[in-house]
Amino acid sequence: MVLKIRLARFGKRNAPFYNIVVAQARTARNSKPLEVLGTYDPIPKPSPTGEGKAIKDIKLDTPRAKYWLGVGAQPSDPAWRLLSMVGLLEPKYHGQRVEEGER
């Protein structure tokens, strides 16, 4: 049984909202998951103080996410990015460019 940590989309048109879920790899995107780990709202909200950058809301049950990663669940690329923002995984891409001589 191959497990994936991925995003399941909810919300209205032009207002996406995602659940971070653990599901079997062969099931559909919005099928019933094994467990819901958290939520992700990609639409930036103004910061509570009114200053600075807008905030994208990520809520995650960290101990359960660590458990599923330890059991062997493979995160999808968007889920990997979110888990690296929280600090559970190393970023996949560091943004370093390959020099011409290193190819």
Side-chain angles (χ1 to χ4, degrees):
M1 179 165 89
V2 180
L3 298 175
K4 291 285 238 181
I5 298 175
R6 61 185 179 198
L7 302 180
R9 184 180 169 153
F10 292 94
K12 297 185 266 184
R13 185 174 16 138
N14 297 326
F17 185 80
Y18 297 95
N19 277 351
I20 304 168
V21 300
V22 177
Q24 293 183 5
R26 294 181 181 215
T27 59
R29 179 188 72 185
N30 286 340
S31 63
K32 186 173 181 181
L34 297 174
E35 185 175 351
V36 177
L37 298 177
T39 60
Y40 170 59
D41 188 3
I43 303 203
K45 307 275 188 279
S47 64
T49 60
E51 298 176 4
K53 291 172 52 174
I55 300 170
K56 294 182 180 182
D57 190 30
I58 302 172
K59 293 183 179 153
L60 183 67
D61 186 1
T62 307
R64 292 303 295 169
K66 284 182 183 177
Y67 167 77
W68 284 110
L69 289 170
V71 170
Q74 296 295 315
S76 65
D77 288 339
W80 188 298
R81 186 176 53 84
L82 292 176
L83 292 173
S84 67
M85 289 168 122
V86 173
L88 293 178
L89 295 173
E90 291 293 320
K92 209 173 219 184
Y93 307 108
H94 295 288
Q96 298 175 357
R97 302 170 101 193
V98 177
E99 297 294 327
E100 289 297 322
E102 295 180 6
R103 287 187 189 180

